Amino acid sequence: MSAKIISGTEIAKQIREELKAEVAEIKEKHGVVPGLVTILVGENPASISYVTAKQRTAHDLGFHSIQDNQPDDIKEDELLSLIEKYNNDDSIHGILVQLPLPKHIDESKVLYAISPDKDVDGFHPVNVGKMVIGEKCFLPCTPHGILEMLVRSGVETSGAEVVVVGRSNIVGKPIANLMLQKREGGNATVTVCHTRTRDTAFHTRRADILIVAAGRPKVITADMVKEGVVVIDVGVNRIGKTPEGKAILCGDVDFEAIKEKAAAITPVPGGVGPMTITMLMKNTVQAAKQFAGIE
Ligand SMILES: NC(=O)c1ccc[n+]([C@@H]2O[C@H](COP(=O)([O-])OP(=O)(O)OC[C@H]3O[C@@H](n4cnc5c(N)ncnc54)[C@H](OP(=O)(O)O)[C@@H]3O)[C@@H](O)[C@H]2O)c1
Protein backbone atom coordinates (compact mmCIF):
# COMPACT_ATOMS: atom_id res chain seq x y z
CA MET A 1 0.00 0.00 0.00
CA SER A 2 1.29 3.46 -0.82
CA ALA A 3 -0.05 6.30 1.30
CA LYS A 4 -2.30 9.08 0.14
CA ILE A 5 -0.17 12.23 0.08
CA ILE A 6 -1.78 15.04 2.06
CA SER A 7 -0.67 18.08 0.10
CA GLY A 8 -0.38 21.18 2.26
CA THR A 9 0.31 23.13 -0.90
CA GLU A 10 -3.08 22.16 -2.38
CA ILE A 11 -5.09 22.66 0.81
CA ALA A 12 -3.35 25.99 1.45
CA LYS A 13 -4.23 27.09 -2.10
CA GLN A 14 -7.88 26.30 -1.45
CA ILE A 15 -7.90 28.30 1.83
CA ARG A 16 -6.10 31.23 0.17
CA GLU A 17 -8.82 31.38 -2.49
CA GLU A 18 -11.43 31.55 0.30
CA LEU A 19 -9.42 34.27 2.04
CA LYS A 20 -9.04 36.31 -1.15
CA ALA A 21 -12.83 36.42 -1.50
CA GLU A 22 -13.20 37.36 2.16
CA VAL A 23 -10.61 40.15 1.86
CA ALA A 24 -12.44 41.58 -1.17
CA GLU A 25 -15.75 41.42 0.68
CA ILE A 26 -14.61 43.21 3.86
CA LYS A 27 -12.86 45.81 1.73
CA GLU A 28 -16.00 46.47 -0.29
CA LYS A 29 -18.54 46.33 2.51
CA HIS A 30 -16.56 47.82 5.39
CA GLY A 31 -13.65 49.68 3.76
CA VAL A 32 -11.12 47.68 5.77
CA VAL A 33 -7.94 46.20 4.27
CA PRO A 34 -6.22 43.60 6.49
CA GLY A 35 -2.80 44.95 7.54
CA LEU A 36 0.15 42.76 8.51
CA VAL A 37 3.60 43.84 9.65
CA THR A 38 6.42 41.32 9.82
CA ILE A 39 9.39 42.43 11.90
CA LEU A 40 12.72 40.82 11.13
CA VAL A 41 15.73 41.39 13.39
CA GLY A 42 19.10 40.56 11.84
CA GLU A 43 19.88 38.49 8.77
CA ASN A 44 19.32 34.85 9.65
CA PRO A 45 18.90 33.20 6.17
CA ALA A 46 16.07 30.86 7.29
CA SER A 47 14.21 33.78 8.91
CA ILE A 48 14.64 35.90 5.77
CA SER A 49 13.11 33.14 3.64
CA TYR A 50 10.16 32.65 6.07
CA VAL A 51 9.44 36.39 6.23
CA THR A 52 9.73 36.77 2.46
CA ALA A 53 7.21 33.96 1.94
CA LYS A 54 4.80 35.54 4.46
CA GLN A 55 5.06 38.94 2.81
CA ARG A 56 4.58 37.48 -0.67
CA THR A 57 1.43 35.67 0.45
CA ALA A 58 0.06 38.76 2.23
CA HIS A 59 0.64 40.78 -0.92
CA ASP A 60 -1.03 38.15 -3.14
CA LEU A 61 -4.10 38.20 -0.91
CA GLY A 62 -4.45 41.98 -1.22
CA PHE A 63 -3.32 42.86 2.31
CA HIS A 64 -1.68 46.09 3.34
CA SER A 65 1.68 44.55 4.27
CA ILE A 66 4.85 46.00 5.71
CA GLN A 67 8.23 44.33 6.03
CA ASP A 68 10.13 46.04 8.87
CA ASN A 69 13.82 45.04 8.93
CA GLN A 70 15.83 45.91 12.03
CA PRO A 71 19.57 45.48 12.64
CA ASP A 72 20.94 42.60 14.71
CA ASP A 73 22.12 45.03 17.41
CA ILE A 74 18.77 46.76 17.96
CA LYS A 75 18.25 47.39 21.68
CA GLU A 76 15.43 45.57 23.44
CA ASP A 77 13.65 48.80 24.42
CA GLU A 78 13.85 50.04 20.80
CA LEU A 79 12.15 46.85 19.61
CA LEU A 80 9.51 47.21 22.33
CA SER A 81 8.83 50.81 21.22
CA LEU A 82 8.49 49.65 17.63
CA ILE A 83 5.88 47.10 18.67
CA GLU A 84 4.05 49.76 20.64
CA LYS A 85 3.98 51.92 17.50
CA TYR A 86 2.30 49.12 15.54
CA ASN A 87 -0.04 48.34 18.45
CA ASN A 88 -1.35 51.90 18.03
CA ASP A 89 -1.48 51.87 14.22
CA ASP A 90 -5.07 51.32 13.02
CA SER A 91 -3.94 50.23 9.55
CA ILE A 92 -2.11 47.25 11.09
CA HIS A 93 -4.21 44.36 12.42
CA GLY A 94 -1.54 41.71 12.76
CA ILE A 95 2.01 41.96 14.16
CA LEU A 96 4.50 39.17 13.65
CA VAL A 97 8.01 39.21 15.12
CA GLN A 98 10.08 36.56 13.36
CA LEU A 99 11.84 34.23 15.80
CA PRO A 100 14.50 33.52 16.88
CA LEU A 101 15.66 36.90 18.17
CA PRO A 102 19.30 37.75 18.98
CA LYS A 103 20.45 36.52 22.41
CA HIS A 104 20.52 40.00 24.03
CA ILE A 105 16.75 40.33 23.56
CA ASP A 106 14.25 38.65 25.89
CA GLU A 107 11.91 36.84 23.48
CA SER A 108 9.06 36.52 25.98
CA LYS A 109 9.15 40.22 26.78
CA VAL A 110 8.83 41.02 23.07
CA LEU A 111 6.02 38.55 22.41
CA TYR A 112 4.11 39.74 25.49
CA ALA A 113 4.40 43.35 24.26
CA ILE A 114 2.27 42.59 21.19
CA SER A 115 -1.36 43.48 21.80
CA PRO A 116 -3.33 40.20 22.16
CA ASP A 117 -5.77 41.67 19.58
CA LYS A 118 -2.94 41.82 17.01
CA ASP A 119 -1.13 38.64 18.08
CA VAL A 120 -1.72 36.74 14.82
CA ASP A 121 0.97 34.20 15.72
CA GLY A 122 -1.09 33.18 18.75
CA PHE A 123 1.91 33.22 21.12
CA HIS A 124 0.69 35.81 23.66
CA PRO A 125 -0.29 34.17 26.98
CA VAL A 126 -3.80 35.65 26.70
CA ASN A 127 -4.35 33.76 23.44
CA VAL A 128 -2.57 30.64 24.72
CA GLY A 129 -4.84 30.65 27.81
CA LYS A 130 -7.97 31.12 25.72
CA MET A 131 -6.89 28.31 23.43
CA VAL A 132 -6.43 25.94 26.37
CA ILE A 133 -9.88 26.82 27.74
CA GLY A 134 -11.38 26.47 24.25
CA GLU A 135 -12.44 30.11 23.85
CA LYS A 136 -12.30 32.01 20.57
CA CYS A 137 -8.74 33.35 20.04
CA PHE A 138 -5.89 33.45 17.56
CA LEU A 139 -4.75 29.84 17.31
CA PRO A 140 -1.02 29.29 16.78
CA CYS A 141 -0.47 28.92 13.05
CA THR A 142 1.30 25.55 12.74
CA PRO A 143 -1.10 23.56 14.98
CA HIS A 144 -4.05 25.36 13.40
CA GLY A 145 -2.74 24.37 9.96
CA ILE A 146 -2.39 20.74 11.05
CA LEU A 147 -6.02 20.70 12.25
CA GLU A 148 -7.23 22.14 8.95
CA MET A 149 -5.25 19.55 6.99
CA LEU A 150 -6.73 16.70 8.98
CA VAL A 151 -10.29 18.02 8.77
CA ARG A 152 -10.12 18.89 5.07
CA SER A 153 -8.55 15.51 4.25
CA GLY A 154 -11.44 13.74 5.99
CA VAL A 155 -9.26 12.15 8.70
CA GLU A 156 -11.42 11.02 11.64
CA THR A 157 -9.92 12.39 14.85
CA SER A 158 -12.78 11.59 17.23
CA GLY A 159 -11.74 8.66 19.42
CA ALA A 160 -8.40 8.33 17.58
CA GLU A 161 -5.14 7.56 19.35
CA VAL A 162 -3.00 10.59 18.56
CA VAL A 163 0.69 10.56 19.40
CA VAL A 164 2.64 13.83 19.26
CA VAL A 165 6.44 13.68 19.24
CA GLY A 166 7.75 16.99 20.63
CA ARG A 167 6.53 19.31 23.36
CA SER A 168 7.53 22.79 22.19
CA ASN A 169 5.30 25.77 22.93
CA ILE A 170 4.79 26.49 19.24
CA VAL A 171 3.92 23.00 17.98
CA GLY A 172 3.87 20.02 20.35
CA LYS A 173 1.97 21.42 23.34
CA PRO A 174 -0.67 23.38 21.41
CA ILE A 175 -1.45 20.61 18.90
CA ALA A 176 -1.78 18.10 21.76
CA ASN A 177 -4.14 20.51 23.50
CA LEU A 178 -6.24 21.24 20.41
CA MET A 179 -6.66 17.59 19.52
CA LEU A 180 -8.10 16.67 22.87
CA GLN A 181 -10.69 19.45 22.85
CA LYS A 182 -14.37 18.77 22.32
CA ARG A 183 -14.56 20.18 18.79
CA GLU A 184 -14.20 19.32 15.12
CA GLY A 185 -10.70 17.99 14.57
CA GLY A 186 -10.46 17.13 18.27
CA ASN A 187 -11.94 14.51 20.61
CA ALA A 188 -8.77 12.41 20.32
CA THR A 189 -6.90 10.52 23.02
CA VAL A 190 -3.52 12.21 23.07
CA THR A 191 -0.06 11.06 24.13
CA VAL A 192 2.95 13.41 24.01
CA CYS A 193 6.52 12.09 23.69
CA HIS A 194 9.77 13.97 24.30
CA THR A 195 13.42 13.17 24.93
CA ARG A 196 12.70 11.79 28.41
CA THR A 197 10.00 9.41 27.16
CA ARG A 198 11.16 5.91 28.10
CA ASP A 199 10.11 4.12 24.90
CA THR A 200 8.94 6.49 22.15
CA ALA A 201 8.51 3.65 19.63
CA PHE A 202 6.07 1.88 22.00
CA HIS A 203 3.82 4.94 21.78
CA THR A 204 4.31 5.79 18.10
CA ARG A 205 3.36 2.20 17.13
CA ARG A 206 -0.01 2.68 18.84
CA ALA A 207 -0.81 5.86 16.93
CA ASP A 208 -3.74 6.17 14.53
CA ILE A 209 -2.49 9.71 13.88
CA LEU A 210 1.19 10.51 14.42
CA ILE A 211 2.32 14.14 14.57
CA VAL A 212 6.07 14.62 14.61
CA ALA A 213 7.73 17.91 15.59
CA ALA A 214 11.12 16.81 16.92
CA GLY A 215 13.44 18.79 14.66
CA ARG A 216 15.57 15.68 13.99
CA PRO A 217 15.88 14.38 10.40
CA LYS A 218 14.18 11.00 9.88
CA VAL A 219 14.00 10.26 13.62
CA ILE A 220 10.80 8.27 13.03
CA THR A 221 11.52 5.12 11.04
CA ALA A 222 9.14 2.63 9.42
CA ASP A 223 9.45 0.10 12.25
CA MET A 224 8.08 2.76 14.63
CA VAL A 225 4.65 3.05 12.98
CA LYS A 226 1.73 0.71 12.38
CA GLU A 227 0.04 -0.07 9.06
CA GLY A 228 -2.63 2.49 8.17
CA VAL A 229 -1.33 5.34 10.33
CA VAL A 230 -1.86 8.97 9.29
CA VAL A 231 1.44 10.86 9.60
CA ILE A 232 1.82 14.63 9.90
CA ASP A 233 5.49 15.54 9.58
CA VAL A 234 6.14 19.03 10.95
CA GLY A 235 9.94 18.84 10.81
CA VAL A 236 11.94 21.04 8.48
CA ASN A 237 15.61 20.04 8.50
CA ARG A 238 18.20 21.57 6.23
CA ILE A 239 20.43 18.62 5.33
CA GLY A 240 22.54 20.14 2.56
CA LYS A 241 22.57 22.36 -0.49
CA THR A 242 22.00 21.75 -4.19
CA PRO A 243 24.82 22.76 -6.57
CA GLU A 244 22.73 25.94 -7.17
CA GLY A 245 22.93 26.74 -3.46
CA LYS A 246 19.27 25.91 -2.64
CA ALA A 247 18.65 24.23 0.72
CA ILE A 248 17.82 20.53 0.63
CA LEU A 249 15.03 19.86 3.14
CA CYS A 250 13.84 16.74 4.87
CA GLY A 251 11.27 16.05 7.54
CA ASP A 252 11.42 14.26 10.88
CA VAL A 253 10.07 11.00 9.46
CA ASP A 254 11.56 8.57 6.97
CA PHE A 255 9.04 9.51 4.27
CA GLU A 256 10.02 6.97 1.59
CA ALA A 257 9.81 3.95 3.90
CA ILE A 258 6.80 5.10 5.95
CA LYS A 259 4.65 5.97 2.94
CA GLU A 260 4.57 2.23 2.13
CA LYS A 261 2.89 1.55 5.49
CA ALA A 262 0.82 4.67 6.15
CA ALA A 263 -2.72 5.42 4.99
CA ALA A 264 -1.82 9.09 4.53
CA ILE A 265 1.29 11.23 5.01
CA THR A 266 2.39 14.84 4.55
CA PRO A 267 5.51 15.54 2.45
CA VAL A 268 8.39 17.91 3.31
CA PRO A 269 8.45 20.37 1.68
CA GLY A 270 4.85 20.96 0.60
CA GLY A 271 3.15 19.71 3.76
CA VAL A 272 2.74 21.64 6.99
CA GLY A 273 4.90 24.60 5.85
CA PRO A 274 2.43 26.20 3.38
CA MET A 275 -0.38 25.65 5.90
CA THR A 276 1.47 27.59 8.62
CA ILE A 277 1.78 30.67 6.43
CA THR A 278 -1.83 30.39 5.31
CA MET A 279 -3.15 30.22 8.88
CA LEU A 280 -1.17 33.39 9.65
CA MET A 281 -3.13 35.06 6.86
CA LYS A 282 -6.40 33.63 8.18
CA ASN A 283 -5.62 35.03 11.64
CA THR A 284 -4.83 38.45 10.12
CA VAL A 285 -8.18 38.51 8.31
CA GLN A 286 -9.85 37.53 11.60
CA ALA A 287 -7.99 40.37 13.38
CA ALA A 288 -9.10 42.88 10.73
CA LYS A 289 -12.71 41.71 11.06
CA GLN A 290 -12.60 42.02 14.84
CA PHE A 291 -11.11 45.51 14.48
CA ALA A 292 -13.94 46.48 12.15
CA GLY A 293 -16.50 45.01 14.54
CA ILE A 294 -17.63 42.51 11.92
CA GLU A 295 -17.35 39.60 14.35
N1 LIG B 1 6.53 23.56 8.84
C1 LIG B 1 6.35 24.54 9.71
O1 LIG B 1 5.61 25.47 9.48
C2 LIG B 1 7.06 24.47 11.01
C3 LIG B 1 6.69 25.30 12.08
C4 LIG B 1 7.35 25.16 13.30
C5 LIG B 1 8.37 24.23 13.42
N2 LIG B 1 8.72 23.49 12.34
C6 LIG B 1 9.78 22.47 12.43
O2 LIG B 1 9.32 21.46 13.32
C7 LIG B 1 10.42 20.91 14.04
C8 LIG B 1 10.13 21.07 15.52
O3 LIG B 1 10.05 22.44 15.85
P1 LIG B 1 9.90 22.95 17.35
O4 LIG B 1 10.06 24.40 17.33
O5 LIG B 1 8.67 22.32 17.91
O6 LIG B 1 11.22 22.25 17.96
P2 LIG B 1 11.91 22.29 19.38
O7 LIG B 1 11.50 23.49 20.14
O8 LIG B 1 13.34 22.00 19.13
O9 LIG B 1 11.27 21.03 20.09
C9 LIG B 1 11.56 19.72 19.69
C10 LIG B 1 10.83 18.76 20.61
O10 LIG B 1 11.07 17.45 20.18
C11 LIG B 1 11.50 16.63 21.25
N3 LIG B 1 12.41 15.63 20.70
C12 LIG B 1 13.57 15.85 20.04
N4 LIG B 1 14.13 14.68 19.67
C13 LIG B 1 13.29 13.72 20.12
C14 LIG B 1 13.33 12.30 20.06
N5 LIG B 1 14.34 11.64 19.48
N6 LIG B 1 12.31 11.61 20.62
C15 LIG B 1 11.28 12.25 21.22
N7 LIG B 1 11.20 13.60 21.32
C16 LIG B 1 12.20 14.32 20.76
C17 LIG B 1 12.16 17.59 22.22
O11 LIG B 1 12.10 17.05 23.53
P3 LIG B 1 12.62 17.85 24.85
O12 LIG B 1 11.55 18.83 25.17
O13 LIG B 1 12.74 16.78 25.88
O14 LIG B 1 13.91 18.48 24.45
C18 LIG B 1 11.29 18.84 22.07
O15 LIG B 1 10.17 18.79 22.91
C19 LIG B 1 11.64 21.67 13.53
O16 LIG B 1 12.23 20.93 12.48
C20 LIG B 1 11.07 22.96 12.99
O17 LIG B 1 11.88 23.53 11.97
C21 LIG B 1 8.09 23.58 11.17
Side-chain angles (χ1 to χ4, degrees), residues 142 165-168 170-171 193-196 200 213-216 219 234-237 252 272-273 276:
T142 301
V165 181
R167 57 174 165 185
S168 71
I170 62 166
V171 190
C193 301
H194 44 79
T195 57
R196 303 297 169 93
T200 297
R216 304 271 195 289
V219 72
V234 186
V236 178
N237 304 289
D252 287 351
V272 177
T276 297

Side-chain angles (χ1 to χ4, degrees), residues 241-248:
K241 277 191 177 171
T242 63
E244 298 78 42
K246 233 181 128 195
I248 300 172

Side-chain angles (χ1 to χ4, degrees), residues 49-65:
S49 82
Y50 291 142
V51 160
T52 307
K54 288 167 188 173
Q55 277 297 326
R56 196 187 312 120
T57 311
H59 184 261
D60 288 349
L61 291 177
F63 286 14
H64 161 55
S65 58

Side-chain angles (χ1 to χ4, degrees), residues 10 29 42 87 182 214 231:
E10 283 306 312
K29 286 194 182 156
N87 279 341
K182 230 176 190 172
V231 180

Side-chain angles (χ1 to χ4, degrees), residues 50 142 165 171 211-218 232-238 249-253 266-269 272-273:
Y50 291 142
T142 301
V165 181
V171 190
I211 301 172
V212 190
R216 304 271 195 289
K218 300 187 186 179
I232 305 290
D233 187 353
V234 186
V236 178
N237 304 289
R238 288 173 161 70
L249 304 180
C250 92
D252 287 351
V253 314
T266 60
V268 177
V272 177

